[in-house]
mmCIF file of all heavy atoms in Angstrom:
data_model
loop_
_atom_site.group_PDB
_atom_site.id
_atom_site.type_symbol
_atom_site.label_atom_id
_atom_site.label_comp_id
_atom_site.label_asym_id
_atom_site.label_seq_id
_atom_site.Cartn_x
_atom_site.Cartn_y
_atom_site.Cartn_z
ATOM 1 N N TYR Y 1 -167.714 161.685 52.572
ATOM 2 C CA TYR Y 1 -167.448 162.868 53.381
ATOM 3 C C TYR Y 1 -168.200 164.089 52.846
ATOM 4 O O TYR Y 1 -168.131 165.162 53.443
ATOM 5 C CB TYR Y 1 -165.940 163.170 53.407
ATOM 6 C CG TYR Y 1 -165.124 162.094 54.082
ATOM 7 C CD1 TYR Y 1 -164.540 161.073 53.338
ATOM 8 C CD2 TYR Y 1 -164.933 162.092 55.463
ATOM 9 C CE1 TYR Y 1 -163.787 160.076 53.955
ATOM 10 C CE2 TYR Y 1 -164.178 161.106 56.085
ATOM 11 C CZ TYR Y 1 -163.610 160.098 55.328
ATOM 12 O OH TYR Y 1 -162.879 159.114 55.938
ATOM 13 N N GLU Y 2 -168.879 163.943 51.724
ATOM 14 C CA GLU Y 2 -169.600 165.055 51.102
ATOM 15 C C GLU Y 2 -171.072 165.062 51.497
ATOM 16 O O GLU Y 2 -171.648 164.023 51.823
ATOM 17 C CB GLU Y 2 -169.517 164.966 49.575
ATOM 18 C CG GLU Y 2 -168.155 165.201 49.000
ATOM 19 C CD GLU Y 2 -168.192 165.282 47.482
ATOM 20 O OE1 GLU Y 2 -169.087 165.967 46.933
ATOM 21 O OE2 GLU Y 2 -167.337 164.656 46.841
ATOM 22 N N MET Y 3 -171.690 166.219 51.397
ATOM 23 C CA MET Y 3 -173.122 166.329 51.591
ATOM 24 C C MET Y 3 -173.875 165.408 50.636
ATOM 25 O O MET Y 3 -173.431 165.155 49.518
ATOM 26 C CB MET Y 3 -173.595 167.766 51.334
ATOM 27 C CG MET Y 3 -173.424 168.714 52.485
ATOM 28 S SD MET Y 3 -174.209 170.329 52.156
ATOM 29 C CE MET Y 3 -173.046 171.061 51.010
ATOM 30 N N ASP Y 4 -175.041 164.969 51.069
ATOM 31 C CA ASP Y 4 -175.983 164.285 50.189
ATOM 32 C C ASP Y 4 -176.687 165.378 49.383
ATOM 33 O O ASP Y 4 -177.441 166.185 49.936
ATOM 34 C CB ASP Y 4 -176.994 163.487 51.023
ATOM 35 C CG ASP Y 4 -177.953 162.678 50.165
ATOM 36 O OD1 ASP Y 4 -178.397 163.195 49.122
ATOM 37 O OD2 ASP Y 4 -178.282 161.543 50.556
ATOM 38 N N TYR Y 5 -176.432 165.424 48.076
ATOM 39 C CA TYR Y 5 -176.923 166.550 47.286
ATOM 40 C C TYR Y 5 -178.427 166.488 47.036
ATOM 41 O O TYR Y 5 -179.053 167.521 46.756
ATOM 42 C CB TYR Y 5 -176.116 166.670 46.000
ATOM 43 C CG TYR Y 5 -174.656 166.951 46.314
ATOM 44 C CD1 TYR Y 5 -173.642 166.114 45.867
ATOM 45 C CD2 TYR Y 5 -174.306 168.032 47.127
ATOM 46 C CE1 TYR Y 5 -172.308 166.355 46.200
ATOM 47 C CE2 TYR Y 5 -172.994 168.277 47.466
ATOM 48 C CZ TYR Y 5 -172.001 167.434 46.997
ATOM 49 O OH TYR Y 5 -170.691 167.682 47.346
ATOM 50 N N GLU Y 6 -179.041 165.311 47.165
ATOM 51 C CA GLU Y 6 -180.504 165.242 47.121
ATOM 52 C C GLU Y 6 -181.084 165.900 48.373
ATOM 53 O O GLU Y 6 -182.067 166.636 48.294
ATOM 54 C CB GLU Y 6 -180.960 163.786 47.008
ATOM 55 C CG GLU Y 6 -180.656 163.147 45.661
ATOM 56 C CD GLU Y 6 -181.207 161.740 45.557
ATOM 57 O OE1 GLU Y 6 -181.916 161.291 46.494
ATOM 58 O OE2 GLU Y 6 -180.938 161.082 44.532
ATOM 59 N N LYS Y 7 -180.456 165.641 49.505
ATOM 60 C CA LYS Y 7 -180.907 166.280 50.752
ATOM 61 C C LYS Y 7 -180.630 167.783 50.730
ATOM 62 O O LYS Y 7 -181.393 168.573 51.301
ATOM 63 C CB LYS Y 7 -180.234 165.621 51.957
ATOM 64 C CG LYS Y 7 -180.752 164.228 52.280
ATOM 65 C CD LYS Y 7 -180.130 163.705 53.550
ATOM 66 C CE LYS Y 7 -180.811 162.417 54.040
ATOM 67 N NZ LYS Y 7 -180.640 161.293 53.149
ATOM 68 N N LEU Y 8 -179.540 168.181 50.082
ATOM 69 C CA LEU Y 8 -179.267 169.607 49.912
ATOM 70 C C LEU Y 8 -180.412 170.271 49.167
ATOM 71 O O LEU Y 8 -180.922 171.327 49.587
ATOM 72 C CB LEU Y 8 -177.955 169.811 49.147
ATOM 73 C CG LEU Y 8 -177.667 171.232 48.655
ATOM 74 C CD1 LEU Y 8 -177.528 172.208 49.823
ATOM 75 C CD2 LEU Y 8 -176.404 171.266 47.789
ATOM 76 N N ALA Y 9 -180.847 169.663 48.076
ATOM 77 C CA ALA Y 9 -181.942 170.227 47.283
ATOM 78 C C ALA Y 9 -183.214 170.354 48.122
ATOM 79 O O ALA Y 9 -183.936 171.362 48.040
ATOM 80 C CB ALA Y 9 -182.196 169.361 46.054
ATOM 81 N N GLU Y 10 -183.478 169.338 48.949
ATOM 82 C CA GLU Y 10 -184.676 169.348 49.789
ATOM 83 C C GLU Y 10 -184.623 170.448 50.850
ATOM 84 O O GLU Y 10 -185.671 170.957 51.276
ATOM 85 C CB GLU Y 10 -184.844 167.988 50.476
ATOM 86 C CG GLU Y 10 -185.156 166.848 49.508
ATOM 87 C CD GLU Y 10 -185.037 165.481 50.170
ATOM 88 O OE1 GLU Y 10 -184.756 165.433 51.392
ATOM 89 O OE2 GLU Y 10 -185.207 164.471 49.468
ATOM 90 N N ALA Y 11 -183.418 170.827 51.262
ATOM 91 C CA ALA Y 11 -183.273 171.810 52.344
ATOM 92 C C ALA Y 11 -183.399 173.255 51.871
ATOM 93 O O ALA Y 11 -183.554 174.170 52.687
ATOM 94 C CB ALA Y 11 -181.919 171.618 53.032
ATOM 95 N N ILE Y 12 -183.338 173.483 50.570
ATOM 96 C CA ILE Y 12 -183.354 174.845 50.033
ATOM 97 C C ILE Y 12 -184.780 175.393 50.003
ATOM 98 O O ILE Y 12 -185.706 174.719 49.556
ATOM 99 C CB ILE Y 12 -182.734 174.869 48.622
ATOM 100 C CG1 ILE Y 12 -181.248 174.512 48.689
ATOM 101 C CG2 ILE Y 12 -182.920 176.244 47.971
ATOM 102 C CD1 ILE Y 12 -180.613 174.251 47.330
ATOM 103 N N ASN Y 13 -184.926 176.629 50.484
ATOM 104 C CA ASN Y 13 -186.221 177.311 50.415
ATOM 105 C C ASN Y 13 -186.001 178.787 50.078
ATOM 106 O O ASN Y 13 -184.876 179.183 49.740
ATOM 107 C CB ASN Y 13 -186.997 177.143 51.727
ATOM 108 C CG ASN Y 13 -186.247 177.708 52.928
ATOM 109 O OD1 ASN Y 13 -185.690 178.809 52.877
ATOM 110 N ND2 ASN Y 13 -186.230 176.956 54.024
ATOM 111 N N GLU Y 14 -187.042 179.586 50.178
ATOM 112 C CA GLU Y 14 -186.947 180.995 49.782
ATOM 113 C C GLU Y 14 -186.064 181.820 50.710
ATOM 114 O O GLU Y 14 -185.665 182.938 50.356
ATOM 115 C CB GLU Y 14 -188.344 181.615 49.709
ATOM 116 C CG GLU Y 14 -189.197 181.055 48.568
ATOM 117 C CD GLU Y 14 -190.542 181.734 48.448
ATOM 118 O OE1 GLU Y 14 -190.922 182.461 49.401
ATOM 119 O OE2 GLU Y 14 -191.213 181.559 47.415
ATOM 120 N N ASN Y 15 -185.744 181.288 51.879
ATOM 121 C CA ASN Y 15 -184.868 182.005 52.808
ATOM 122 C C ASN Y 15 -183.391 181.646 52.628
ATOM 123 O O ASN Y 15 -182.534 182.302 53.216
ATOM 124 C CB ASN Y 15 -185.278 181.708 54.250
ATOM 125 C CG ASN Y 15 -186.672 182.204 54.572
ATOM 126 O OD1 ASN Y 15 -187.057 183.287 54.144
ATOM 127 N ND2 ASN Y 15 -187.439 181.405 55.305
ATOM 128 N N THR Y 16 -183.130 180.612 51.834
ATOM 129 C CA THR Y 16 -181.749 180.143 51.675
ATOM 130 C C THR Y 16 -180.957 181.115 50.809
ATOM 131 O O THR Y 16 -181.369 181.461 49.708
ATOM 132 C CB THR Y 16 -181.716 178.747 51.021
ATOM 133 O OG1 THR Y 16 -182.585 177.866 51.729
ATOM 134 C CG2 THR Y 16 -180.300 178.190 51.043
ATOM 135 N N LYS Y 17 -179.824 181.541 51.330
ATOM 136 C CA LYS Y 17 -178.974 182.470 50.582
ATOM 137 C C LYS Y 17 -177.647 181.847 50.158
ATOM 138 O O LYS Y 17 -177.111 182.187 49.104
ATOM 139 C CB LYS Y 17 -178.684 183.719 51.440
ATOM 140 C CG LYS Y 17 -179.900 184.596 51.692
ATOM 141 C CD LYS Y 17 -180.423 185.205 50.401
ATOM 142 C CE LYS Y 17 -181.490 186.263 50.651
ATOM 143 N NZ LYS Y 17 -182.751 185.687 51.147
ATOM 144 N N VAL Y 18 -177.103 180.945 50.993
ATOM 145 C CA VAL Y 18 -175.754 180.427 50.759
ATOM 146 C C VAL Y 18 -175.709 178.937 51.072
ATOM 147 O O VAL Y 18 -176.359 178.468 52.012
ATOM 148 C CB VAL Y 18 -174.722 181.172 51.647
ATOM 149 C CG1 VAL Y 18 -173.338 180.509 51.578
ATOM 150 C CG2 VAL Y 18 -174.625 182.644 51.246
ATOM 151 N N VAL Y 19 -174.932 178.207 50.287
ATOM 152 C CA VAL Y 19 -174.561 176.834 50.628
ATOM 153 C C VAL Y 19 -173.042 176.787 50.743
ATOM 154 O O VAL Y 19 -172.326 177.379 49.929
ATOM 155 C CB VAL Y 19 -175.076 175.813 49.597
ATOM 156 C CG1 VAL Y 19 -174.561 176.109 48.196
ATOM 157 C CG2 VAL Y 19 -174.680 174.391 49.994
ATOM 158 N N ILE Y 20 -172.551 176.107 51.791
ATOM 159 C CA ILE Y 20 -171.115 176.019 52.033
ATOM 160 C C ILE Y 20 -170.678 174.557 51.933
ATOM 161 O O ILE Y 20 -170.764 173.810 52.915
ATOM 162 C CB ILE Y 20 -170.727 176.586 53.412
ATOM 163 C CG1 ILE Y 20 -171.279 178.002 53.603
ATOM 164 C CG2 ILE Y 20 -169.207 176.582 53.570
ATOM 165 C CD1 ILE Y 20 -170.980 178.606 54.977
ATOM 166 N N PRO Y 21 -170.218 174.111 50.766
ATOM 167 C CA PRO Y 21 -169.615 172.777 50.677
ATOM 168 C C PRO Y 21 -168.226 172.798 51.307
ATOM 169 O O PRO Y 21 -167.597 173.866 51.414
ATOM 170 C CB PRO Y 21 -169.542 172.517 49.172
ATOM 171 C CG PRO Y 21 -169.537 173.872 48.548
ATOM 172 C CD PRO Y 21 -170.239 174.805 49.488
ATOM 173 N N VAL Y 22 -167.749 171.637 51.733
ATOM 174 C CA VAL Y 22 -166.478 171.548 52.453
ATOM 175 C C VAL Y 22 -165.564 170.546 51.763
ATOM 176 O O VAL Y 22 -165.902 169.367 51.639
ATOM 177 C CB VAL Y 22 -166.704 171.126 53.923
ATOM 178 C CG1 VAL Y 22 -165.392 171.210 54.699
ATOM 179 C CG2 VAL Y 22 -167.776 171.984 54.584
ATOM 180 N N ASP Y 23 -164.398 171.014 51.333
ATOM 181 C CA ASP Y 23 -163.412 170.155 50.655
ATOM 182 C C ASP Y 23 -162.546 169.449 51.695
ATOM 183 O O ASP Y 23 -161.358 169.754 51.881
ATOM 184 C CB ASP Y 23 -162.536 170.989 49.713
ATOM 185 C CG ASP Y 23 -163.332 171.674 48.619
ATOM 186 O OD1 ASP Y 23 -164.370 171.135 48.204
ATOM 187 O OD2 ASP Y 23 -162.913 172.756 48.178
ATOM 188 N N ILE Y 24 -163.138 168.483 52.392
ATOM 189 C CA ILE Y 24 -162.462 167.826 53.508
ATOM 190 C C ILE Y 24 -161.231 167.052 53.028
ATOM 191 O O ILE Y 24 -161.286 166.328 52.035
ATOM 192 C CB ILE Y 24 -163.432 166.885 54.246
ATOM 193 C CG1 ILE Y 24 -164.532 167.702 54.931
ATOM 194 C CG2 ILE Y 24 -162.686 166.034 55.273
ATOM 195 C CD1 ILE Y 24 -165.575 166.868 55.633
ATOM 196 N N GLY Y 25 -160.142 167.233 53.745
ATOM 197 C CA GLY Y 25 -158.910 166.517 53.435
ATOM 198 C C GLY Y 25 -158.191 167.021 52.200
ATOM 199 O O GLY Y 25 -157.179 166.452 51.788
#
């Protein structure tokens, strides 16, 4: 149910300011 943290790293660029993880359940 969690983000793929390798894909999270790939998505980050110079415009990224915030990441919102979700504690589902």
Side-chain angles (χ1 to χ4, degrees):
Y1 295 94
E2 292 188 45
M3 278 187 285
D4 184 320
Y5 298 122
E6 290 184 5
K7 287 185 170 65
L8 169 63
E10 293 168 2
I12 294 169
N13 60 45
E14 292 184 347
N15 297 320
T16 309
K17 292 295 189 290
V18 171
V19 58
I20 307 178
V22 187
D23 299 330
I24 293 177

